[in-house]
Amino acid sequence: MRLTRRSVLGTAAAAAAFGGLARAEPAPQVLRAQAGRQQIAPNGFAETDIWGYGGAVPGPEFRTMQGARFRRRLINDLPQPTTVHWHGVRIANAMDGVPGLTQEAVQAGDRFDYDFAPPDAGTFWYHSHNKNVEQVARGLYGPLIVEENAPPEVDADLALMIDDWRLDTRTMAITGDFDNRHDLSHAGRLGNITTVNGHFDPVQSVRRHDRLRLRLINAANARVFEIGFEGLEGWLVALDGMPLQTPAPVTGAFRLAPAQRADVIVDVTAKAEAHLLSIERDGGYGLMRFAVQPGPRVRRDNAPSALPPNPMPAIAEPAAAPLTEMRMTGGAMRGLEPSQLGTTLMQPRELYELGKFWALAGQVDRGPAPFVDAARGETHRISFVNDTAFGHAMHTHGHHFRTLRADGSLGPWRDTLLIDPGETRQVVMVADNPGNWLLHCHMLGHAAAGMMNWFRVT
Ligand code: C2O
Ligand code: CU
């Protein structure tokens, strides 16, 4: 039969009349993981071969409404298996994108449909979660912005993904030393060039006295950025996607560890040029520039009010919650103790030979048993004890937590917490999202070299 418009319509009408066929859902929009080429190094230098979503880095900026259904079809056009993790979204477990734990890795040429409704408004991001020490370093990440129903009034709302790249300084190609043992056992893969939204020192045009919402996202493999502003003044309003109860004036530089986000609302006070800076020992380096055009004569006189709160669980009696200690061990200078790999207790030398340098609670990689086994709705405390010579950015999947301070007060909600060498931090969380959830260091080389564990909520 030749299909004419009439016959197609007729068939559909007939099917509807029988009520036998549910109307097929339209296919989700495609998110293609693929190779691309981009100007990462400063203009005038060679372009760099990258891997990106849609062939660019960052991938498309997704903006969706809080609570609305969000679907994307990952198509893998890479030469390796991959998955997508929606970092910070309190998502259904099957959509979390962890190969071997929540789904099978998507093979080259294959696809996977992600389908979820983000419960929280805020700044999130998505990134590869397979071989991510390599795949994220090659550029497989993008911003996921979940809009508030009543967003604050600003003149511009910019998602800024900050990264550092390790490029061969002659060819500008990404260096392929992802399993470099020195990086794995020290501070991780640090780069030699920084970008914001995939470009070196980009310029954004603004007006004097404009109010900007900047959504800073650290997509770097391992670098902890110390963020500074010049010619921009304002308030920190959210961390890791979660609104602060009260906006906090930004009075100096602040640290942003890998995977962390900070939302700031700032007014442009500079006359000609403002800067987003990375503060380092020997001074401040420009991450990006704001070219300032003339604007309103005066600055707004009101401070922004707090962002509308997300539907977070109440934490009753945090100090009474069961407490589990997670000792972080290994790495250069301190070294591992005999630790468990799978179900086998192994000597440090054997583990080093396997490229494993770190352990969490005596376990290297994801072991057979969860680190915490929680009944749904239970409140749990974890004490992170950093017995290593390096800082670590500890990230929980599917849940945010709050730090519990010595005086019993609770810190802001976070999904990634930087813990300095020698430091102990206690966190408390409500295990309200059922499933098997990863807990790991977001210095991606550390995670690849063993700094990974998991917890279960049933
Ligand atoms: Cu940003 Cu396990 O992930
Ligand atoms: Cu680490």
Side-chain angles (χ1 to χ4, degrees):
M1 184 179 92
R2 230 181 86 228
L3 282 181
T4 62
R5 184 176 151 76
R6 176 178 297 268
S7 68
V8 170
L9 287 174
T11 311
F18 283 113
L21 290 177
R23 185 185 291 174
E25 248 184 349
Q29 270 183 49
V30 165
L31 181 61
R32 197 177 291 276
Q34 62 187 130
R37 208 167 153 74
Q38 191 163 313
Q39 188 69 44
I40 301 292
N43 291 330
F45 291 89
E47 288 186 335
T48 298
D49 287 317
I50 58 110
W51 289 353
Y53 295 107
V57 55
E61 178 175 316
F62 294 135
R63 290 202 172 238
T64 183
M65 293 305 292
Q66 182 173 18
R69 188 170 174 201
F70 179 86
R71 302 195 302 152
R72 285 299 178 276
R73 169 168 294 173
L74 168 70
I75 297 185
N76 182 7
D77 279 347
L78 303 171
Q80 292 179 356
T82 195
T83 58
V84 180
H85 171 57
W86 309 88
H87 184 116
V89 177
R90 297 186 300 142
I91 204 167
N93 193 249
M95 296 292 125
D96 198 41
V98 180
L101 190 66
T102 70
Q103 69 170 98
E104 288 316 313
V106 181
Q107 299 300 312
D110 232 339
R111 62 177 58 177
F112 186 89
D113 288 352
Y114 292 95
D115 184 352
F116 57 95
D120 304 309
T123 302
F124 303 94
W125 64 299
Y126 59 98
H127 62 79
S128 150
H129 214 298
N130 193 48
K131 287 179 175 284
N132 50 5
V133 64
E134 169 171 359
Q135 294 191 2
V136 173
R138 289 193 186 277
L140 285 163
Y141 61 77
L144 172 63
I145 308 304
V146 184
E147 314 248 27
E148 295 93 9
N149 287 305
E153 214 190 279
V154 292
D155 300 300
D157 176 335
L158 306 170
L160 304 177
M161 299 199 79
I162 305 169
D163 194 3
D164 72 339
W165 300 74
R166 186 181 292 178
L167 302 184
D168 178 308
T169 51
R170 202 172 38 84
T171 62
M172 301 302 143
I174 296 169
T175 66
D177 53 345
F178 304 107
D179 52 4
N180 178 318
R181 294 166 67 83
H182 182 273
D183 292 341
L184 295 181
S185 58
H186 289 73
R189 181 185 172 91
L190 301 171
N192 50 13
I193 196 160
T194 59
T195 56
V196 174
N197 291 347
H199 295 285
F200 174 79
D201 199 20
V203 187
Q204 169 79 35
S205 155
V206 294
R207 295 179 319 159
R208 183 146 197 246
H209 296 136
D210 268 355
R211 181 161 280 188
L212 315 175
R213 178 177 187 168
L214 305 181
R215 303 168 181 267
L216 309 174
I217 305 169
N218 184 348
N221 236 267
R223 184 178 297 277
V224 178
F225 284 97
E226 177 113 19
I227 299 289
F229 297 120
E230 215 172 65
L232 302 169
E233 281 175 37
W235 300 262
L236 182 65
V237 294
L239 289 169
D240 295 350
M242 296 297 168
L244 301 184
Q245 258 157 39
T246 330
V250 178
T251 53
F254 58 91
R255 292 194 297 174
L256 194 68
Q260 289 185 328
R261 285 88 68 214
D263 283 42
V264 295
I265 292 184
V266 291
D267 294 335
V268 178
T269 54
K271 288 202 181 84
E273 198 167 78
H275 297 266
L276 175 67
L277 299 172
S278 165
I279 310 293
E280 280 158 49
R281 255 178 247 135
D282 49 345
Y285 291 91
L287 291 170
M288 78 175 283
R289 282 175 288 156
F290 296 86
V292 182
Q293 318 298 330
R297 287 229 333 276
V298 288
R299 201 182 150 179
R300 283 183 178 73
D301 54 9
N302 62 316
S305 34
L307 298 173
N310 283 322
M312 302 305 286
I315 301 182
E317 293 199 77
L323 174 65
T324 317
E325 185 179 276
M326 174 166 273
R327 256 184 85 225
M328 305 147 72
T329 52
M333 267 91 95
R334 304 277 166 89
L336 276 173
E337 309 159 3
S339 306
Q340 197 101 348
L341 180 67
T343 52
T344 322
L345 188 69
M346 294 180 74
Q347 294 305 312
R349 206 164 358 98
E350 304 174 87
L351 290 164
Y352 300 157
E353 266 161 36
L354 297 171
K356 300 297 175 188
F357 297 99
W358 308 91
L360 292 175
Q363 179 77 44
V364 175
D365 286 350
R366 189 155 37 84
F371 164 71
V372 166
D373 205 351
R376 186 176 183 177
E378 259 173 17
T379 301
H380 279 264
R381 283 182 298 159
I382 299 174
S383 177
F384 290 108
V385 181
N386 187 348
D387 261 348
T388 80
F390 296 88
H392 301 286
M394 299 306 293
H395 168 48
T396 51
H397 280 225
H399 297 74
H400 279 62
F401 52 79
R402 301 180 75 169
T403 51
L404 182 55
R405 305 192 186 101
D407 65 0
S409 64
L410 293 169
W413 288 104
R414 304 224 61 150
D415 62 44
T416 307
L417 183 67
L418 179 61
I419 302 169
D420 285 323
E423 196 182 30
T424 294
R425 299 288 291 276
Q426 214 178 93
V427 306
V428 56
M429 76 174 194
V430 179
D432 57 359
N433 197 357
N436 297 333
W437 302 104
L438 212 58
L439 186 172
H440 64 94
C441 177
H442 222 287
M443 276 98 174
L444 299 174
H446 292 175
M451 224 173 188
M452 195 181 291
N453 209 310
W454 64 292
F455 63 103
R456 175 161 61 202
V457 183
T458 40

